[in-house]
Amino acid sequence: MMLLFPQRKNSSTRDYIYETLKKNIILLHLKPGQVITENEIAELFCVSRTPVREAFVRLVQEGLLETYPQKGTTVSLIDLERVDEARFMRRTLEKAVLQMACNNFPQELFFELRSNLALQELCIQEKNFIKLFELDEDFHRLIYRGCRKERIWELISQINADFRRIRVLKLSLGIGVGEVVKQHHRIAELIFSKDVTNVDKVIEEHLPQNDPDFENLQKLYSQYFK
Amino acid sequence: MMLLFPQRKNSSTRDYIYETLKKNIILLHLKPGQVITENEIAELFCVSRTPVREAFVRLVQEGLLETYPQKGTTVSLIDLERVDEARFMRRTLEKAVLQMACNNFPQELFFELRSNLALQELCIQEKNFIKLFELDEDFHRLIYRGCRKERIWELISQINADFRRIRVLKLSLGIGVGEVVKQHHRIAELIFSKDVTNVDKVIEEHLPQNDPDFENLQKLYSQYFK
DNA sequence: AAAAGCATATTAGTATGGTAGTATACAAAC
DNA sequence: GTTTGTATACTACCATACTAATATGCTTTT
């Protein structure tokens, strides 16, 4: 069911609920299509409905929840169109960002990249695919950070919830995990060796226009999809 | 001060307030740095604080408002860093989108593009620069729509509020309006003639990495900037 | 005159209650 | 057995009230 995390100091109830719900939606603990109500969440967190409402407002804005007035609220279904859009944005932006990274990347972050990759390998061995997902995102965030574009990464992650969710689903089944990490190594190698000539090719492989696995997932888990 | 618009049928109070505030912030009727409170907006719209709060939650999430607990809320200042990020995103994505448009763009939308350009010219003559701003955005939206990427346009517009605001400020002063419309003509011409070879060049001119006008605006209107 | 303390006002965050729209269950009519 | 009408339950939207944190103004002390 739902995972709970300790509330950070100085965070409002609203923010805490928002972050907790969001994490649970992305990690598929709250399933696409699942009905949740302000009342049940308020009871779960032992608070009034107000901060729950306000958290819901944010999650609706991000496309993670869908509210039906007077009827109820559901976790939004994964929409393959949105997944395609997210992939287009990521592919386009990451070609540009990786090119910048190959041209100029702070040495101080090399170690973090390498550490991240080592932990990714470890996650494969330990079959901890949720942790792998988080490291995957940290990997990309590091690259954006090295190019002074970290906020862009945060922004596109925020609007790409469906893409993130389908990737969690895919990873949780262990599909393609080895290949993903290999591609991360290739990306990092381009940065280390300042090789701009292969940027497009590597990104196209990492974020292809079509991913047959996604279509298969839609068939296997049709109740999760729009 | 603030412009009010008729409320659309079937829209909730919350949505109406959100849209109205947002529009007034983007068009600079609500000035960067200006203090607004839940109470004063609630009084203005003759409603309780609750839908105002919920609208504020969304606007805070989009970076248009900044809330200081127990102290108050201000319209956010324009942050040139965010402007740069927005420009990077737009430049990167629009090279890709314009390339797609040159390869394949629906004939049905040609007329809309041409109409839009004609109206832009009219706005220059009539010095209606706010309308020009809207047409400018419609122009780009049309291109994204022709490439089946309209939602991406909506998403990046949502997160690029600072860039939009500084453009409103610039246009409202009549700066560079003729050049902007010329560039739109060039962009459209690339689409009509399916000329992919000049895409990067035209977009780089339209969304350059640096815009000296923005730095000057920061000097002239320093109270609007972070 | 300047600093410290206290009272009051202001504002956002949260709790509780009322209303409107919808769904469901049950009874009555056909 | 099926359809229609009514009552009740459920849920989000909005209103009102309470609480906590902060700012401001005034008074007292140094």
Side-chain angles (χ1 to χ4, degrees):
Chain A
M1 178 54 198
M2 214 166 74
L3 292 183
L4 296 181
F5 313 93
Q7 182 171 2
R8 282 184 291 107
K9 283 188 52 178
N10 291 327
S11 82
S12 63
T13 303
R14 175 182 74 196
D15 288 344
Y16 171 59
I17 293 169
Y18 161 77
E19 284 156 11
T20 303
L21 289 180
K22 180 169 181 174
K23 195 161 207 173
N24 276 277
I25 293 172
I26 297 286
L27 295 181
L28 301 176
H29 297 305
L30 288 174
K31 307 296 183 192
Q34 180 174 341
V35 174
I36 64 174
T37 67
E38 296 172 1
N39 275 335
E40 92 183 78
I41 301 298
E43 280 166 33
L44 181 67
F45 287 85
C46 303
V47 296
S48 80
R49 284 159 39 232
T50 306
V52 176
R53 280 189 61 75
E54 289 170 18
F56 274 27
V57 164
R58 291 174 72 182
L59 293 164
V60 166
Q61 177 139 1
E62 290 181 29
L64 288 171
L65 294 184
E66 294 198 14
T67 292
Y68 304 91
Q70 322 303 339
K71 293 171 62 176
T73 296
T74 61
V75 177
S76 65
L77 297 171
I78 297 171
D79 182 344
L80 278 184
E81 243 184 80
R82 282 174 177 248
V83 173
D84 288 344
E85 285 162 3
R87 237 179 342 190
F88 171 80
M89 284 183 74
R90 282 236 359 230
R91 189 168 59 245
T92 308
L93 291 167
E94 282 183 37
K95 284 181 189 174
V97 168
L98 187 55
Q99 209 137 28
M100 294 171 65
C102 292
N103 286 325
N104 183 15
F105 199 82
Q107 287 270 1
E108 312 91 74
L109 292 181
F110 278 16
F111 178 75
E112 287 193 54
L113 276 184
R114 289 202 172 95
S115 303
N116 179 286
L117 288 169
L119 291 175
Q120 285 186 40
E121 298 281 359
L122 186 63
C123 285
I124 293 185
Q125 286 162 29
E126 310 245 334
K127 298 193 193 297
N128 185 346
F129 299 134
I130 296 307
K131 183 65 185 173
L132 178 59
F133 172 75
E134 288 167 2
L135 286 166
D136 179 326
E137 301 215 315
D138 287 341
F139 176 78
H140 290 283
R141 179 183 295 108
L142 269 178
I143 296 176
Y144 279 75
R145 184 188 302 158
C147 301
R148 314 266 307 255
K149 296 283 185 290
E150 188 168 6
R151 189 154 40 195
I152 289 182
W153 170 259
E154 304 295 351
L155 288 174
I156 61 179
S157 293
Q158 184 174 308
I159 62 183
N160 291 343
D162 281 7
F163 182 52
R164 293 171 79 194
R165 285 195 290 169
I166 200 173
R167 292 213 340 96
V168 167
L169 181 57
K170 184 176 169 181
L171 284 180
S172 68
L173 299 172
I175 301 175
V177 290
E179 187 57 25
V180 161
V181 176
K182 279 207 196 85
Q183 288 165 359
H184 286 157
H185 277 284
R186 268 183 229 123
I187 289 170
E189 197 47 47
L190 294 186
I191 295 174
F192 297 147
S193 59
K194 297 178 182 293
D195 173 10
V196 296
T197 59
N198 288 302
V199 164
D200 287 8
K201 177 167 172 291
V202 172
I203 295 293
E204 293 278 356
E205 280 165 5
H206 190 48
L207 292 158
Q209 283 202 24
N210 301 294
D211 188 332
D213 291 326
F214 289 173
E215 323 281 351
N216 291 335
L217 287 174
Q218 186 184 25
K219 293 195 180 82
L220 283 174
Y221 292 84
S222 59
Q223 71 277 19
Y224 285 177
F225 289 82
K226 210 163 214 175
Chain B
M1 178 50 196
M2 215 166 74
L3 292 184
L4 296 182
F5 313 93
Q7 180 170 4
R8 284 183 290 110
K9 282 188 49 181
N10 291 327
S11 82
S12 65
T13 303
R14 176 181 73 196
D15 288 344
Y16 171 58
I17 293 170
Y18 162 75
E19 285 156 11
T20 303
L21 289 179
K22 181 168 180 174
K23 194 161 209 172
N24 276 278
I25 293 171
I26 298 285
L27 296 181
L28 301 177
H29 297 304
L30 287 175
K31 307 297 182 192
Q34 180 174 342
V35 174
I36 64 174
T37 67
E38 294 172 1
N39 275 335
E40 92 182 78
I41 300 300
E43 280 165 31
L44 181 67
F45 286 86
C46 302
V47 296
S48 80
R49 281 171 48 223
T50 306
V52 175
R53 282 188 61 75
E54 289 170 16
F56 275 27
V57 165
R58 291 174 71 182
L59 293 165
V60 167
Q61 178 139 359
E62 291 182 29
L64 290 170
L65 293 184
E66 294 198 15
T67 293
Y68 304 92
Q70 322 304 337
K71 294 171 60 175
T73 296
T74 60
V75 177
S76 66
L77 297 171
I78 297 171
D79 183 344
L80 279 183
E81 243 186 78
R82 283 174 174 248
V83 172
D84 288 343
E85 284 161 3
R87 238 185 334 194
F88 170 80
M89 284 183 72
R90 283 236 0 228
R91 190 168 58 246
T92 307
L93 291 166
E94 283 184 34
K95 284 180 187 174
V97 167
L98 187 55
Q99 210 137 26
M100 293 171 63
C102 292
N103 285 326
N104 183 15
F105 198 82
Q107 286 273 1
E108 312 92 72
L109 292 181
F110 279 16
F111 178 74
E112 286 193 55
L113 275 185
R114 289 201 172 96
S115 303
N116 179 288
L117 288 169
L119 291 175
Q120 285 186 41
E121 298 282 359
L122 186 64
C123 286
I124 294 186
Q125 286 161 30
E126 310 244 335
K127 295 191 196 300
N128 186 346
F129 299 134
I130 296 305
K131 183 65 185 174
L132 178 59
F133 173 74
E134 289 167 1
L135 286 166
D136 179 324
E137 300 215 317
D138 287 342
F139 176 77
H140 290 281
R141 180 184 293 110
L142 269 177
I143 296 176
Y144 279 76
R145 185 188 302 159
C147 300
R148 315 264 307 256
K149 295 284 184 293
E150 188 169 8
R151 190 153 42 193
I152 289 183
W153 170 258
E154 303 295 350
L155 288 173
I156 62 179
S157 294
Q158 185 174 308
I159 63 183
N160 291 343
D162 282 7
F163 182 53
R164 293 171 79 194
R165 285 195 287 169
I166 200 172
R167 292 216 335 98
V168 167
L169 181 57
K170 184 176 168 181
L171 285 180
S172 69
L173 300 172
I175 301 174
V177 290
E179 187 57 25
V180 161
V181 176
K182 278 207 196 87
Q183 288 165 359
H184 286 158
H185 277 284
R186 268 184 230 124
I187 288 169
E189 196 47 48
L190 293 187
I191 296 173
F192 298 147
S193 60
K194 298 178 181 292
D195 174 9
V196 296
T197 61
N198 288 301
V199 165
D200 285 9
K201 178 167 172 291
V202 172
I203 294 294
E204 293 278 355
E205 281 165 2
H206 190 49
L207 292 158
Q209 282 204 26
N210 300 294
D211 188 332
D213 291 326
F214 288 173
E215 322 283 349
N216 292 335
L217 288 174
Q218 185 183 25
K219 293 195 181 81
L220 283 174
Y221 291 84
S222 58
Q223 72 277 17
Y224 286 178
F225 289 81
K226 211 164 211 174

